[in-house]
């Protein structure tokens, strides 16, 4: 599933500044999980859909914490899925063709559920717009919410997150790298020079 | 990959990418909402100089599921029947703004001519040319085999180690040629089984084995058996006299109940359609639980969606548009 996404390289020291370490990411994830339960009065109607690649791993981490905090003993797959948005992107024609990642939805579907979209970085908002289109192809949720680990600003569409791990003021000439241990051997968020990659 | 002209042109990596993309497309076709947006505003022309219902509607369904507009152009009742040349037809399509041309032609090499002549800029997809190639058929056959033989581990895998029989009229079959090329690229071991009269000159140089004895080939327990259609016009002496009688062909090279049982229950039974029931395949074999013939049709739509997506959805680098490397960052 992640074959097309190489681990994010760690540049030589000095080129980057780590803004969230593993402990920060764990605490932010735990807090968001509790906020999701609080906002939705429990988690029985909630479906977490992670946007590949790193959003999908974040969604699984959030799902584990939601089930623990809400004291539910059900398989993770009944709560968490992944949502590929490639076919709905607005920049398909501006880049080389992209590989398509799998979409998996919990067996109960998303009709009349609260769908929480999960991604690593919220930036222009275009990924989320594509995700909203992709969700409406899958069904009609009662409500859609958005959880991100990092909101770095610079929105190009009227979109905001419901749950944010950390607001990170950045310049457009910087890039934000989220590394997760499932792919990159380390949990951290770093800011570096060089603009959006 | 600019065009899809021949299964022979595909590298292992390209073939696996197409099959993986087809798997993603097939998953979207399980949903209530089957239409996807990536080819919105693109026009796909189906240019069919030879009769074909299945392949044409399969391409048409694939293009429409991806939101492309489809123009069907068949030679019958068109300007071609008034004597228009391939060049003039192509330039007319170019002038109308076709973004891709799916072509079937009775002459081997017509798609290649269209792609390389400079008459038209659009990607060209070969939907069958003469006795030469039918690459999307080979891709859908490979997809069907991979799905059944690899199961859960299908994504990213090839067909290394699998043994496939291709049985029947190899001489006139573009399906056989395309399958030998693609299955070899994907690492499968192919054995062609046919009477000597229905094998082409030079078949010894193909990357496969050749046998005249279906019973011996079946006894070796292949993983899949693909029956080729026998074209009825080949049977009479007027059509070339390739075999003495349909009955004799059926007895020596047809897939009947006894051979089906000799294959064992795990071997896939495949046929590109349309079938001649009772000639190359018995009703018992065609309707058996191990037959995946209808699934091949379903998979054909997903594979053609994948090909259209991969050729048409990305940036158009012909026009010199800058193409940053493929990145999956959230933007």
């Amino acid at each position: 599933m992640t074959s097309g996404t190489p681990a994010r390289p760690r540049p030589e020291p000095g080129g980057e500044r780590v803004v969230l370490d593993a402990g920060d990411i764990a605490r932010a994830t735990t807090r968001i999980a509790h906020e999701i339960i609080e906002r939705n009065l429990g988690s029985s109607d909630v479906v977490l859909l992670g946007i590949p690649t790193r959003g999908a791993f974040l969604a699984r981490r959030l799902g584990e914490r939601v089930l623990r905090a809400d004291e539910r003993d059900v398989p993770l797959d009944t709560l968490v899925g992944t949502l590929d948005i490639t076919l709905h992107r607005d920049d398909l024609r501006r880049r080389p063709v992209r590989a398509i990642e799998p979409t998996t939805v919990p067996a109960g579907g998303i009709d009349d559920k609260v769908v929480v979209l999960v991604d690593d970085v919220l930036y222009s908002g275009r990924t989320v717009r594509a995700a909203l289109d992709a969700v409406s192809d899958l069904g009609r949720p009662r409500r859609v919410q958005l959880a991100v680990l990092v909101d770095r600003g610079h929105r190009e569409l009227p979109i905001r997150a419901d749950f944010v791990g950390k607001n990170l003021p950045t310049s457009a000439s910087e890039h934000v790298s989220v590394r997760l241990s499932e792919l990159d051997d380390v949990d951290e968020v770093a800011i570096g020079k060089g603009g959006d990659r | 990959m600019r065009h899809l002209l021949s299964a022979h042109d595909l590298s292992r990596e390209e073939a696996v990418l197409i099959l993986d993309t087809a798997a993603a497309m097939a998953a979207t076709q399980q949903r209530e909402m089957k239409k996807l947006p990536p080819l919105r505003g693109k026009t796909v022309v189906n240019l069919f100089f030879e009769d074909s219902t299945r392949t044409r509607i399969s391409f048409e369904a694939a293009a429409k599921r991806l939101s492309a507009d489809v123009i069907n152009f068949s030679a019958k009742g068109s300007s071609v029947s008034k004597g228009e040349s391939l060049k003039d037809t192509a330039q007319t399509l170019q002038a109308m703004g076709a973004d891709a041309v799916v072509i079937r032609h009775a002459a081997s090499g017509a798609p290649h001519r269209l792609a390389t002549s400079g008459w038209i800029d659009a990607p060209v997809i070969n939907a069958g040319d003469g006795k030469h190639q039918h690459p999307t058929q080979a891709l859908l056959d490979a997809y069907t085999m991979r799905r059944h033989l690899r199961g859960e581990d299908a994504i990213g895998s090839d067909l290394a180690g699998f043994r496939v029989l291709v049985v029947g009229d190899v001489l006139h079959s573009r399906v056989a040629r395309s399958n030998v090329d693609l299955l070899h690229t994907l690492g499968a071991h192919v054995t062609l089984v046919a009477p000597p009269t229905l094998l082409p000159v030079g078949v010894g140089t193909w990357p496969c084995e050749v046998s005249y004895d279906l019973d011996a080939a079946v006894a070796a327990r292949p993983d899949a058996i693909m029956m080729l259609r026998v074209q009825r016009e080949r049977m009479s002496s007027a059509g070339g006299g390739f075999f003495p009688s349909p009955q004799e062909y059926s007895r020596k090279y047809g897939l009947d109940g006894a051979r089906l049982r000799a294959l064992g229950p795990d071997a896939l039974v495949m046929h590109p359609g349309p079938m001649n029931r009772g000639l190359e395949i018995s009703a018992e074999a065609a309707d058996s639980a191990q037959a995946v013939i209808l699934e091949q049709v379903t998979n054909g739509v997903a594979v053609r969606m994948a090909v259209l997506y991969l050729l048409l959805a990305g940036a158009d680098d012909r026009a010199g548009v800058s193409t940053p490397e493929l990145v999956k960052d959230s933007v």
Side-chain angles (χ1 to χ4, degrees):
Chain A
M1 163 175 161
T2 57
S3 56
T5 308
R8 217 159 261 181
R10 305 191 72 187
E12 58 279 15
E16 270 196 347
R17 185 162 48 89
V18 173
V19 286
L20 293 180
D21 63 18
D24 297 327
I25 291 174
R27 284 185 289 276
T29 314
T30 305
R31 174 174 54 76
I32 291 173
H34 283 91
E35 285 176 357
I36 289 171
I37 296 168
E38 184 184 16
R39 177 86 59 93
N40 298 302
L41 309 176
S43 64
S44 51
D45 282 348
V46 172
V47 172
L48 303 177
L49 292 182
I51 298 172
T53 307
R54 285 169 183 76
F57 294 111
L58 282 173
R60 295 191 74 81
R61 292 185 185 192
L62 272 176
E64 286 162 4
R65 287 165 159 84
V66 165
L67 291 180
R68 204 179 311 142
D70 207 24
E71 293 171 357
R72 292 169 66 197
D73 187 20
V74 293
L76 191 59
D77 290 342
T78 62
L79 176 73
V80 179
T82 60
L83 180 69
D84 184 68
I85 58 143
T86 310
L87 295 169
H88 295 84
R89 297 190 76 101
D90 62 2
D91 60 354
L92 272 178
R93 284 165 201 199
R94 303 173 56 148
R95 292 172 182 244
V97 69
R98 289 162 179 269
I100 302 174
E101 307 271 343
T103 291
T104 57
V105 176
I110 62 167
D111 285 340
D112 299 317
K113 300 285 176 63
V114 176
V115 168
V116 181
L117 299 172
V118 182
D119 204 0
D120 50 358
V121 180
L122 178 58
Y123 185 28
S124 67
R126 291 176 188 268
T127 299
V128 177
R129 186 215 57 82
L132 291 170
D133 277 357
V135 164
S136 68
D137 277 3
L138 291 176
R140 187 178 184 281
R142 181 156 54 87
R143 187 171 296 143
V144 181
Q145 298 168 349
L146 174 62
V148 296
L149 182 60
V150 171
D151 181 350
R152 62 168 294 194
H154 304 283
R155 214 76 76 240
E156 295 167 7
L157 294 169
I159 281 169
R160 66 166 177 77
D162 299 86
F163 312 103
V164 179
K166 184 172 178 62
N167 284 299
L168 205 59
T170 57
S171 140
S173 67
E174 294 169 318
H175 68 257
V176 173
S177 296
V178 173
R179 300 192 183 91
L180 297 178
S181 56
E182 291 92 334
L183 279 178
D184 310 304
D185 300 326
V186 65
D187 272 359
E188 67 179 21
V189 178
I191 297 185
K193 295 288 174 203
D196 173 48
R197 290 186 304 172
Chain B
M1 197 169 65
R2 264 275 281 132
H3 308 283
L4 181 62
L5 302 177
S6 163
H8 189 72
D9 297 340
L10 294 170
S11 67
R12 179 191 171 280
E13 287 66 34
E14 287 170 333
V16 169
L17 174 65
I18 294 172
L19 299 186
D20 289 352
T21 307
M25 293 295 180
T28 68
Q29 299 306 299
Q30 308 291 318
R31 301 176 193 161
E32 207 173 315
M33 174 68 190
K34 295 184 176 61
K35 202 166 179 96
L36 298 159
L39 299 188
R40 219 151 48 95
K42 304 259 187 187
T43 302
V44 175
V45 176
N46 284 330
L47 185 58
F48 277 62
F49 292 94
E50 205 182 61
D51 287 339
S52 161
T53 312
R54 299 166 161 257
T55 306
R56 203 206 72 225
I57 61 177
S58 182
F59 268 108
E60 184 169 350
K64 285 179 170 172
R65 300 272 167 85
L66 294 172
S67 302
D69 293 320
V70 179
I71 298 174
N72 286 310
F73 185 106
S74 65
K76 270 190 191 141
S78 75
S79 48
V80 173
S81 62
K82 298 173 190 163
E84 188 176 65
S85 69
L86 180 60
K87 177 176 180 176
D88 288 330
T89 305
Q91 288 179 331
T92 304
L93 298 176
Q94 168 85 355
M96 284 176 187
D99 294 297
V101 177
V102 177
I103 178 174
R104 163 159 299 190
H105 203 290
S108 302
H112 186 265
R113 182 85 175 118
L114 197 61
T116 56
S117 58
W119 297 333
I120 192 163
D121 291 335
V124 174
I125 299 168
N126 183 358
D129 60 332
K131 299 172 191 170
H132 178 223
Q133 283 276 335
H134 192 356
T136 56
Q137 178 72 41
L139 285 162
L140 76 88
D141 290 336
Y143 176 84
T144 305
M145 284 180 219
R146 193 180 78 158
R147 201 179 94 77
H148 280 275
L149 300 175
R150 291 270 188 231
E152 294 286 306
D153 306 321
I155 296 298
S157 70
D158 57 16
L159 294 170
F162 293 122
R163 291 174 302 123
V164 181
L165 294 188
V166 178
V167 185
D169 182 1
V170 176
L171 178 62
H172 301 96
S173 176
R174 53 197 172 209
V175 175
R177 276 172 187 70
S178 305
N179 262 298
V180 169
D181 285 340
L182 185 68
L183 291 172
H184 173 71
T185 302
L186 289 171
H189 182 270
V190 183
T191 304
L192 298 173
V193 184
T197 51
L198 287 174
L199 286 165
V201 174
V203 72
T205 64
W206 294 13
C208 61
E209 278 184 44
V210 177
S211 165
Y212 304 137
D213 184 347
L214 180 57
D215 286 311
V218 162
R221 303 293 288 258
D223 297 291
I225 183 167
M226 191 182 303
M227 307 307 296
L228 299 172
R229 189 169 76 95
V230 174
Q231 287 147 333
R232 290 198 178 269
E233 59 271 24
R234 316 273 182 224
M235 293 171 205
S236 66
S237 55
F242 291 100
F243 45 87
S245 74
Q247 290 76 17
E248 181 175 329
Y249 179 88
S250 186
R251 207 160 48 242
K252 292 198 71 173
Y253 294 101
L255 183 59
D256 57 15
R259 290 186 178 123
L260 183 71
R261 282 180 286 281
L263 274 172
D266 297 326
L268 300 178
V269 172
M270 306 176 73
H271 192 297
M275 290 184 279
N276 294 310
R277 282 177 185 251
L279 183 53
E280 72 265 8
I281 187 166
S282 69
E284 184 184 354
D287 299 332
S288 66
Q290 65 208 83
V292 291
I293 297 163
L294 283 176
E295 196 196 311
Q296 286 174 271
V297 177
T298 307
N299 293 341
V301 176
V303 162
R304 287 168 181 129
M305 287 173 76
V307 169
L308 288 168
Y309 170 75
L310 292 170
L311 288 180
L312 283 177
D316 183 355
D317 47 10
R318 285 166 292 157
V321 178
S322 69
T323 51
E325 61 184 293
L326 194 149
V327 285
K328 285 285 294 181
D329 278 85
S330 302
V331 291

